[in-house]
Amino acid sequence: MSAARAIHQEIVDAVVPPHVVYAHCDIPCGIYDPHEAQIAALTVVRMTQLIGELAKPAAGAKPEDGEAYQAKLARYVAVKETHSERVKAELRILWADYFTPDHLKQYPTLHETFWTAMKAASKARQGTNPADALELSTKVQEIAELFWKSKGAKTHRVPSMQKSGGEMVYPVPA
């Protein structure tokens, strides 16, 4: 790099400092698993359930009851939104880094499956409809099944054993 170019870069860095960018492994490391997306989707389901179960304070309730309600609601919404975004992040990693053009030939609906799952995550994030959260979980399970199938593994669904209910998709050991 020339001296002039180096000085220019230093000025640019001083005005707009570079920031660290995190990515799941552009090495690539070869470590991929849909488990975190499934857990995040179940968390969205559970937060949606908790929002639906949250009793609004009665008219004339004490101010601290209203404050407690608002605090719980805010926490449930924040966690739901964080985990909806986590689903999207985990799916983007699988979609962009794991699946290859050969996979697309083998599974022609792959892009559509991911696209609808990403849209389901956005919809679940934007609202509190339990059906939207369940749809997200279902779409993530479909991707988990495709993922394991692409690795030559059979899958089985087992109860999640979480308060949200639902199932988890796991590979069947050979």
Side-chain angles (χ1 to χ4, degrees):
M1 178 183 304
S2 72
R5 176 81 176 124
I7 291 170
H8 174 76
Q9 188 63 51
E10 287 178 26
I11 293 169
V12 169
D13 288 350
V15 175
V16 184
H19 55 276
V20 177
V21 177
Y22 298 97
H24 177 93
C25 221
D26 289 333
I27 293 175
C29 66
I31 308 293
Y32 300 100
D33 193 312
H35 185 78
E36 282 192 46
Q38 291 183 86
I39 292 294
L42 288 176
T43 302
V44 172
V45 170
R46 183 62 180 147
M47 291 303 108
T48 303
Q49 292 168 345
L50 288 171
I51 291 166
E53 295 167 4
L54 189 58
K56 292 182 182 176
K62 298 178 200 170
E64 54 267 17
D65 293 341
E67 291 167 7
Y69 169 82
Q70 290 295 330
K72 283 184 179 181
L73 180 60
R75 287 179 63 220
Y76 296 160
V77 168
V79 171
K80 178 182 68 74
E81 292 200 6
T82 297
H83 283 79
S84 296
E85 192 59 35
R86 180 172 285 163
V87 169
K88 291 170 76 172
E90 292 297 321
L91 294 184
R92 277 191 295 269
I93 290 165
L94 293 175
W95 195 4
D97 296 348
Y98 170 74
F99 284 102
T100 66
D102 288 338
H103 289 127
L104 186 57
K105 290 175 190 168
Q106 193 174 4
Y107 309 105
T109 62
L110 188 69
H111 286 320
E112 179 72 18
T113 302
F114 271 94
W115 187 81
T116 58
M118 299 294 267
K119 292 297 185 183
S122 293
K123 192 171 184 180
R125 182 177 183 178
Q126 293 165 0
T128 59
N129 185 339
D132 294 338
L134 291 172
E135 177 69 10
L136 171 60
S137 185
T138 298
K139 294 297 181 187
V140 171
Q141 289 169 340
E142 289 174 17
I143 289 170
E145 288 171 336
L146 273 172
F147 172 82
W148 291 115
K149 187 175 181 182
S150 75
K151 288 182 161 280
K154 292 182 181 179
T155 60
H156 67 285
R157 292 183 181 209
V158 298
S160 74
M161 305 303 288
Q162 306 299 332
K163 287 188 175 190
S164 61
E167 297 176 318
M168 296 286 292
V169 174
Y170 291 106
V172 175

